[in-house]
Amino acid sequence: INAEYGLLNFAQTKNKMFGSDILPYTPIDQIPDIVQSLKQTFKTGKTRSESFRRHQLHRLLDLLNDNSQEIHTATKKDLGKPAFESDLGEILGIRNDISRALDDLSCWMAPKNEGKGFAMITDQVQVIYEPLGVVLIIGAWNYPIQLILQPLIGAIAAGNCAVIKPSEVSAHTAFWLTQTLPKYLDPDCYRVINGAVDETTALLQNRFDHILYTGNSTVGRIVMRAAAEHLTPVTLEMGGKSPTIVDASADIRITARRIVWGKFLNAGQTCIAPDYILVHSQVHDELIDEIRKAINDFYGPDVLNSPHYSRIVSQRQFERLKALIDKATTQESESKIVCGGESDSSQKYIAPTIIDNCSPESPLMSSEIFGPILPVLRINNIDQAISFINDREKPLAIYLFSRTSSVIERIKSETTSGALLVNDTLLHAVVQDLPFGGVGESGMGAYHGQRSFEVFSHKKAYMRRSFFLSQLDTLRFPPYSNSNLKWLFAIFERTYSSNKLTRIVREFLALFIFLTSFILNFVLKKFA
Amino acid sequence: GINAEYGVSQKPNHHNHLHPKTKSSRMPSFESLRETPIDEIPQIVYNLHQVFNSNKTKPEEFRRAQLEKLLDLIENSREDIYQALAEDLRRPSFESYAGDYLAVKNDVVEALENLHHWMAPKCVAKPLPNLTDKAQVIREPLGVVLIMGAWNFPFMETLKPLVGAIAAGNCAVIKPSELAVSSSNLIARLVSQYLDDSCFQVVTGGVEETTTLLKQKFDHIMYTGNSQVGRIIMRAAAENLTPVTLELGGKSPTVVDSNVDIIASARRIVWGRFFNAGQVCVAPDYVLCLESIHDQLVAEMKKAIIEFYGSDPSISPHYSRIINQRHFQRLKAILNADSSDDDAKKQPADVIVCGGEMDEDTLYIAPTIIDQATLDSPSMNEEIFGPVLPIISVASISEAIDVIRSRPKPLALYVFSNDAGVVERFKIETSSGGLVVNDTLLHAGIQSFPFGGVGESGFGAYSGRTSFETFSHAKSFLQRSFAGSALDFLRFPPFNESKLGWYKYAAERTLVGKWGQILRKVGWWTSIGIATWAVVHLIHRRGGCGGCVGFGWLKGCPGRSLIGFSSAPSATTPVLNK
């Protein structure tokens, strides 16, 4: 049911809710030509030089600096985003990544020397990072700027050309991006394509050298199948139900405030938002109280008129979320709305809603909520939480609130998720050096910071030998002889001993050999 | 495609291809392929998932114990491995040693020596607001992984990835190629004999077994083989959102510049091409050589072939055979088409200048060089994967680069040149899985290298630490405390301008530029210097190093009074002043 974020499903394209009055779609017959023209540009080697990459990154930074007002307006129109959330959630991450890329680009681009055995001391052994070619970045509507531009930084830094496909659901932002990007970035190398299912299908028929898709797992499968035809590697950034565990040892007031912030930022339309709470029965009542207080503190008693609270992106999403609330209250006797529940269809507004005592079988628990509804489930011990999480698909994030290190250690080693954040929500996505990506149903591959550069680069193994001492080649050439084999044994075969002392002695020997070969290398290079 | 067979056979009735072997006299101990019953496959995979969920494979001790068992496996069965490869490919034991045995053994040793280090969580840099937090990248196992090997190096292509899978703490299903029958049987026997069979299982069989296997849910699939089957595997993987690593082949070009040592180059090319009778995914597939050295190169190659395999390679014990009848026929077709000059396309006649002999009964094809080949020659259509080497003359290095760039990205590119400018051009202007200058194949033996392709030659890589990373998930771990919660209000609604200013100040990274970076470094080293200096002074003042003459020079240092150390004589200083 939440197929919509990323790509619209087929039913909706028929009536094209956003029509072409806001966002004109790219004509399908032009798409192959656009991709082809980028391939031509890549072949000329234009995007490879460091100065070009630097210049484009600087231009991207200029784009953000010059247009903060426009970004606020566009995201406000699409999602009712407060300017603060827009600055924090959309722009901050991109700016940091650009600054990082500009500062470290030469270091990232430099070939890395690799360890080599004794037998190859005169050789040069390196890993070279080279651009892949033309890459495709498909964004989602919930953070329409960040999910496009942050991967784009990696693509530019790695020296690729890129096709950008913003989500058609966040039409205002997509339109703004289409208008603005060519003014800043080189239009020969980076192009924006707009459209819904038909356009995206046409786009995916072209051969790309990498595809980065942010969205849901249904469309993720479609993208990966399409990529299989061209053997294109993919990075899939998907969502999933990210559990939030509240242990009895946590500071409940701070916990409640941090959860409420993470959940209701962008009205819950965040892929790493806490999806449901597993709370220890001991602190359950206190947590519910504190959550209510936090909502009141943050958005005031009248959330509808709070300027700090976003709206649902589309009528379709609004209906889906409204139905979830209705089902949760009518079908089950146990669960009840303890906070919120109100909605306003004309504004696509849904109040921050807490549903207490939600049953694991409830529709709320069957798929990612992706809206401002927060179900609360009780647990009696940490084992229950672990088995509850492990019975379900691997989530993009797990949030744990606890002061007990044994509990932290158990969650750390016994559950799997894209990320594990202890005692806060969302903030791991801000730390550039942490890989941002999922596992299992929540996706594959990760980016942010230097990883974005690596995602869009190929690590080429580079080895350079000389003809010096080529007489020794006979050792490995036919006709093979047993004595040669013995030489090979002695030079190349590594041995391992489970005895620690032997290993330490060997380490020293290896160090000695390394130093000797290092000196020999210098000596030999004089003659080679 | 005709070479679709290596890896997974595409024809449902693969028994036909195996059949001719039974008649062959070269296989006295022919075994028939033992196949896993198809209806057992879902249960096998299900059981492995259950075992993985019980956390059995996660502790370091378990991984270490299994890796040590794997080391035993490979060390104890060296002769069996030679024997199996001799039966499948009539491969000389020297090549089995270098290609299969050594690759696996060194990788196990590498993993055993570094496992602890690999498994340790890695701390990462943090922005200012997270300064008191703990930020780590944790390597955790993926679950149940599938490793599908090809037939050309059946042990290396299954057991070497298995090292990474075990080291990363996964359960694994191994699917050796059904075309290398003896090897497949041996792998099945050895794995169940040495490794924990509740965690590591071998599934054998052909297309039907593979199809059933691919319907099961895995957490990673590594496939070595060709690009057609690679596509099938990726499509199947998409259904379960399973990440894949595809190790495919491709036509690896070999460029020979005019300034090289021709004799050494010719020998290195011949060795790389005819190793395992050319059935190597990184083998030099065709030669692009400059016209000026063409004749000499061909002459030296011919010499090298005679030197290596004698005047009649069919009786040399150092030369392998083709895997099966189907591949033999495929290669035969290439040779026949390439040597006929009444081709419909009316190409310039390709000349077989060396080799060309073949024997269908023993699946023997002599080391063959096709001279004067063109880009349209039948041998240039797809990966040769056999002992045939077309040579194409080019007028310049630029032409060679154009040829390479006009074709799909290869798994390896070999350049023989002593000109640093030429090497640099290939380094920058071409793309390939690996680039080796002045030799062939050897990069595959370097463990620290990520071994893998790009574009049509595959994606993802393995070997050494890269294998461990391929089979593990890098989990972000961030631990905060409740201590700094007083600052939380800065990011919580209701929002206002001053909050934003503060938050930006704390969290936004500003561009420091080149000089900023230099200044940062200078600042960093200066502060280290000042700290060291202060420590030295403290020791000096406290008299802790009273006997140490090395600090004597400090006594007249004018800085002492500047940073607040009293220069007044104390109880200890007179001792030093003596």
Side-chain angles (χ1 to χ4, degrees):
Chain A
I1 47 175
N2 64 345
E4 196 185 278
Y5 76 100
L7 299 175
L8 287 166
N9 71 1
F10 286 93
Q12 192 168 353
T13 31
K14 297 296 173 216
N15 51 9
K16 283 195 180 157
M17 280 180 66
F18 299 102
S20 40
D21 48 326
I22 299 172
L23 178 68
Y25 290 171
T26 311
I28 289 180
D29 52 335
Q30 281 179 19
I31 292 174
D33 297 339
I34 294 174
V35 179
Q36 206 51 44
S37 74
L38 290 183
K39 282 186 181 163
Q40 288 306 321
T41 312
F42 181 75
K43 270 195 181 158
T44 64
K46 187 178 185 182
T47 54
R48 282 177 172 254
S49 75
E50 187 180 340
S51 57
F52 179 85
R53 305 184 196 186
R54 270 186 195 287
H55 178 68
Q56 295 302 314
L57 289 171
H58 272 294
R59 293 297 288 156
L60 201 56
L61 201 57
D62 291 345
L63 182 150
L64 296 179
N65 289 339
D66 299 351
N67 293 284
S68 56
Q69 206 50 54
E70 285 80 354
I71 293 173
H72 291 167
T73 318
T75 51
K76 181 102 191 156
K77 278 184 191 160
D78 282 327
L79 289 143
K81 254 187 209 192
F84 186 89
E85 282 188 10
S86 181
D87 274 337
L88 199 70
E90 303 266 18
I91 299 173
L92 187 74
I94 312 174
R95 289 181 68 104
N96 285 355
D97 258 15
I98 299 178
S99 311
R100 179 60 169 281
L102 281 168
D103 280 347
D104 296 351
L105 189 61
S106 1
C107 179
W108 293 348
M109 284 175 70
K112 309 281 177 294
N113 286 318
E114 288 291 333
K116 46 190 175 180
F118 178 64
M120 298 173 182
I121 42 171
T122 57
D123 306 344
Q124 191 182 6
V125 173
Q126 290 180 333
V127 171
I128 301 174
Y129 290 86
E130 61 178 28
L132 291 167
V134 181
V135 302
L136 171 63
I137 298 166
I138 306 179
W141 52 258
N142 55 337
Y143 289 89
I145 309 255
Q146 191 212 27
L147 297 177
I148 286 288
L149 294 190
Q150 205 159 354
L152 183 63
I153 296 163
I156 295 174
N160 298 287
C161 289
V163 174
I164 291 159
K165 163 72 184 67
S167 169
E168 72 284 6
V169 180
S170 47
H172 292 98
T173 319
F175 181 69
W176 171 79
L177 209 57
T178 316
Q179 295 293 304
T180 322
L181 211 63
K183 288 183 201 155
Y184 288 86
L185 299 186
D186 188 333
D188 291 341
C189 310
Y190 314 102
R191 295 289 290 266
V192 183
I193 286 179
N194 282 303
V197 176
D198 296 340
E199 288 78 7
T200 312
T201 310
L203 192 57
L204 285 172
Q205 275 161 6
N206 294 282
R207 180 177 186 139
F208 291 97
D209 297 287
H210 194 97
I211 300 177
L212 188 143
Y213 165 77
T214 311
N216 67 5
S217 56
T218 317
V219 181
R221 285 178 165 83
I222 297 173
V223 170
M224 193 170 169
R225 261 192 301 253
E229 301 310 313
H230 299 294
L231 285 174
T232 304
V234 285
T235 303
L236 302 177
E237 299 289 341
M238 272 118 38
K241 292 185 80 68
S242 299
T244 304
I245 309 159
V246 183
D247 182 36
S249 64
D251 181 318
I252 299 301
R253 182 174 165 272
I254 301 169
T255 301
R257 289 165 65 90
R258 288 179 174 176
I259 294 176
V260 167
W261 176 70
K263 176 73 197 182
F264 301 112
L265 185 87
N266 203 24
Q269 302 163 106
T270 307
C271 50
I272 49 172
D275 194 272
Y276 59 95
I277 296 179
L278 298 173
V279 59
H280 198 284
S281 339
Q282 259 176 39
V283 288
H284 170 267
D285 297 348
E286 196 189 345
L287 183 75
I288 298 279
D289 266 4
E290 290 294 348
I291 287 180
R292 273 209 215 102
K293 271 188 216 159
I295 293 175
N296 194 44
D297 280 357
F298 288 0
Y299 307 107
D302 182 14
V303 190
L304 181 64
N305 291 317
S306 163
H308 310 301
Y309 187 69
S310 302
R311 296 295 180 264
I312 306 304
V313 69
S314 67
Q315 205 59 40
R316 204 178 97 93
Q317 288 288 333
F318 174 83
E319 300 298 342
R320 175 179 70 80
L321 291 165
K322 188 148 187 328
L324 276 180
I325 297 180
D326 294 344
K327 272 186 215 155
T329 41
T330 52
Q331 286 185 351
E332 295 152 85
S333 51
E334 285 273 303
S335 63
K336 57 177 191 287
I337 297 175
V338 289
C339 179
E342 307 89 14
S343 56
D344 179 351
S345 154
S346 66
Q347 287 191 35
K348 290 179 284 186
Y349 161 82
I350 290 182
T353 304
I354 312 291
I355 293 177
D356 196 10
N357 286 331
C358 183
S359 97
E361 287 77 40
S362 150
L364 271 173
M365 292 301 293
S366 63
S367 66
E368 190 177 0
I369 295 171
F370 220 71
I373 308 169
L374 184 58
V376 179
L377 292 84
R378 287 173 197 245
I379 48 161
N380 295 316
N381 52 46
I382 204 70
D383 298 280
Q384 234 177 337
I386 291 173
S387 62
F388 191 91
I389 293 169
N390 286 343
D391 284 347
R392 286 165 172 73
E393 298 289 358
K394 297 173 182 173
L396 189 53
I398 292 179
Y399 301 106
L400 168 67
F401 290 86
S402 172
R403 278 180 170 135
T404 321
S405 40
S406 64
V407 169
I408 298 174
E409 202 46 51
R410 285 200 59 193
I411 297 285
K412 200 170 160 182
S413 58
E414 292 177 33
T415 64
T416 297
S417 54
L420 170 61
L421 174 49
V422 181
N423 294 334
D424 214 319
T425 56
L426 310 191
L427 284 190
H428 64 282
V430 183
V431 182
Q432 283 179 310
D433 284 353
L434 287 178
F436 184 80
V439 58
E441 276 288 307
S442 54
M444 60 181 88
Y447 70 115
H448 279 196
Q450 188 174 0
R451 266 186 193 76
S452 309
F453 171 82
E454 285 171 4
V455 160
F456 292 111
S457 314
H458 162 56
K459 284 186 187 175
K460 177 155 84 176
Y462 171 71
M463 179 181 186
R464 184 175 178 180
R465 306 203 71 217
S466 71
F467 294 106
F468 180 65
L469 285 181
S470 63
Q471 296 85 335
L472 288 180
D473 285 355
T474 33
L475 279 181
R476 62 178 154 116
F477 288 166
Y480 304 119
S481 73
N482 278 335
S483 63
N484 288 356
L485 196 60
K486 272 182 197 136
W487 270 103
L488 236 75
F489 264 53
I491 300 173
F492 287 105
E493 191 168 320
R494 297 176 59 177
T495 45
Y496 175 77
S497 162
S498 47
N499 183 338
K500 223 170 195 173
L501 191 70
T502 324
R503 284 217 301 275
I504 291 169
V505 172
R506 267 199 203 131
E507 292 269 304
F508 274 107
L509 261 173
L511 191 70
F512 174 73
I513 291 174
F514 174 76
L515 289 174
T516 327
S517 61
F518 194 71
I519 297 159
L520 263 175
N521 192 9
F522 270 103
V523 178
L524 289 176
K525 277 223 170 125
K526 293 271 178 206
F527 304 101
Chain B
I2 41 176
N3 69 341
E5 202 181 275
Y6 76 99
V8 179
S9 142
Q10 285 206 304
K11 274 198 173 176
N13 193 359
H14 53 94
H15 295 284
N16 287 346
H17 310 305
L18 299 173
H19 190 58
K21 278 188 180 177
T22 44
K23 287 188 281 189
S24 141
S25 55
R26 71 185 174 88
M27 282 207 202
S29 61
F30 175 79
E31 301 178 65
S32 62
L33 183 75
R34 283 191 282 272
E35 288 172 341
T36 310
I38 286 177
D39 48 338
E40 280 178 18
I41 292 173
Q43 190 61 38
I44 290 173
V45 180
Y46 177 79
N47 291 348
L48 290 180
H49 277 289
Q50 293 299 313
V51 172
F52 178 77
N53 289 341
S54 74
N55 296 333
K56 186 177 179 180
T57 54
K58 286 186 183 176
E60 190 183 335
E61 304 81 67
F62 178 85
R63 307 185 195 186
R64 200 171 277 286
Q66 293 301 309
L67 286 172
E68 281 174 4
K69 292 260 180 62
L70 190 56
L71 191 61
D72 289 345
L73 180 157
I74 197 86
E75 278 178 342
N76 297 346
S77 33
R78 194 167 71 203
E79 295 302 324
D80 293 343
I81 291 172
Y82 292 171
Q83 174 69 27
L85 288 166
E87 283 167 20
D88 286 332
L89 290 149
R90 226 206 76 175
R91 194 196 291 167
S93 54
F94 191 93
E95 290 182 0
S96 301
Y97 170 80
D100 275 298
Y101 175 83
L102 194 65
V104 179
K105 187 180 170 188
N106 282 358
D107 225 43
V108 184
V109 174
E110 168 97 1
L112 276 167
E113 279 177 358
N114 297 298
L115 184 62
H116 188 76
H117 171 65
W118 290 349
M119 285 176 68
K122 303 282 175 295
C123 290
V124 302
K126 298 165 284 191
L128 196 59
N130 300 74
L131 211 58
T132 55
D133 306 343
K134 190 176 175 186
Q136 291 179 331
V137 175
I138 299 173
R139 286 278 165 190
E140 58 180 28
L142 292 167
V144 182
V145 302
L146 171 63
I147 298 165
M148 301 175 72
W151 51 260
N152 55 340
F153 290 93
F155 296 91
M156 191 267 275
E157 283 152 359
T158 51
L159 300 184
K160 193 172 169 180
L162 182 64
V163 175
I166 296 176
N170 299 287
C171 289
V173 174
I174 299 148
K175 162 72 184 65
S177 167
E178 74 280 11
L179 301 183
V181 179
S182 303
S183 303
S184 174
N185 289 345
L186 182 63
I187 290 168
R189 181 165 68 76
L190 291 177
V191 168
S192 67
Q193 187 184 333
Y194 283 88
L195 301 183
D196 187 331
D197 61 357
S198 65
C199 311
F200 309 103
Q201 285 278 342
V202 178
V203 169
T204 50
V207 175
E208 287 166 62
E209 286 80 4
T210 311
T211 311
T212 316
L213 201 54
L214 285 173
K215 280 183 189 145
Q216 315 305 316
K217 185 182 165 89
F218 290 99
D219 297 286
H220 194 97
I221 299 176
M222 172 170 289
Y223 166 76
T224 308
N226 67 3
S227 57
Q228 276 157 318
V229 180
R231 284 179 168 83
I232 296 173
I233 286 173
M234 192 170 169
R235 263 190 299 246
E239 301 311 313
N240 291 316
L241 283 177
T242 305
V244 284
T245 303
L246 300 179
E247 300 289 342
L248 315 172
K251 289 185 83 67
S252 300
T254 305
V255 183
V256 187
D257 195 6
S258 54
N259 52 18
V260 290
D261 178 338
I262 306 274
I263 302 174
S265 304
R267 285 158 59 98
R268 286 173 178 180
I269 295 170
V270 165
W271 176 71
R273 170 78 277 192
F274 301 112
F275 192 94
N276 200 25
Q279 300 161 109
V280 181
C281 49
V282 287
D285 194 273
Y286 60 98
V287 174
L288 297 169
C289 81
L290 287 190
E291 275 152 7
S292 56
I293 48 123
H294 168 268
D295 296 346
Q296 205 192 339
L297 183 73
V298 173
E300 288 301 337
M301 279 182 168
K302 280 199 238 169
K303 267 193 221 165
I305 290 176
I306 293 173
E307 194 189 322
F308 288 180
Y309 307 107
S311 47
D312 182 6
S314 69
I315 54 167
S316 164
H318 309 301
Y319 187 67
S320 304
R321 296 295 179 266
I322 307 304
I323 182 77
N324 62 16
Q325 198 62 24
R326 190 171 130 179
H327 280 277
F328 180 87
Q329 294 303 340
R330 177 178 65 78
L331 290 162
K332 192 176 163 186
I334 290 177
L335 280 181
N336 287 343
D338 246 332
S339 56
S340 68
D341 36 8
D342 45 64
D343 199 295
K345 286 178 189 167
K346 297 224 165 140
Q347 303 157 0
D350 303 321
V351 191
I352 293 182
V353 288
C354 174
E357 304 87 17
M358 48 188 114
D359 177 11
E360 207 166 318
D361 287 338
T362 55
L363 299 174
Y364 163 79
I365 294 180
T368 304
I369 295 176
I370 300 175
D371 199 9
Q372 311 293 344
T374 63
L375 293 175
D376 312 310
S377 298
S379 55
M380 291 299 290
N381 282 344
E382 59 173 48
E383 190 176 359
I384 295 172
F385 221 71
V388 179
L389 183 62
I391 296 178
I392 299 172
S393 298
V394 288
S396 64
I397 290 298
S398 306
E399 194 188 329
I401 290 177
D402 287 344
V403 169
I404 294 165
R405 289 182 53 155
S406 64
R407 295 171 156 260
K409 295 178 182 174
L411 186 55
L413 169 60
Y414 302 107
V415 176
F416 289 81
S417 175
N418 273 333
D419 182 341
V422 168
V423 172
E424 202 55 31
R425 280 194 68 190
F426 278 99
K427 217 166 149 178
I428 293 169
E429 293 177 29
T430 66
S431 181
S432 55
L435 169 61
V436 178
V437 179
N438 294 336
D439 215 320
T440 57
L441 309 192
L442 288 189
H443 64 303
I446 298 180
Q447 286 172 315
S448 51
F449 261 170
F451 182 79
V454 58
E456 275 289 308
S457 54
F459 55 82
Y462 71 114
S463 178
R465 186 181 173 135
T466 315
S467 305
F468 173 83
E469 285 173 0
T470 295
F471 288 113
S472 59
H473 161 56
K475 175 156 86 173
S476 299
F477 175 74
L478 183 65
Q479 185 175 345
R480 309 201 72 221
S481 71
F482 295 108
S485 63
L487 289 173
D488 280 358
F489 78 95
L490 280 178
R491 63 180 152 114
F492 289 166
F495 306 121
N496 60 45
E497 277 302 309
S498 78
K499 271 189 183 183
L500 186 62
W502 275 106
Y503 201 84
K504 275 188 166 177
Y505 179 75
E508 195 167 306
R509 198 191 148 93
T510 45
L511 192 56
V512 292
K514 191 178 163 193
W515 285 104
Q517 272 183 320
I518 291 169
L519 270 176
R520 252 190 205 171
K521 272 178 195 149
V522 169
W524 178 240
W525 285 109
T526 316
S527 42
I528 289 179
I530 291 174
T532 323
W533 189 55
V535 169
V536 167
H537 262 204
L538 268 173
I539 294 168
H540 173 68
R541 216 181 111 67
R542 285 182 61 231
C545 271
C548 177
V549 278
F551 293 129
W553 61 274
L554 281 167
K555 69 183 178 191
C557 178
R560 280 168 71 187
S561 48
L562 276 179
I563 58 164
F565 288 112
S566 161
S567 52
S570 67
T572 51
T573 41
V575 183
L576 280 160
N577 287 340
K578 277 179 201 165

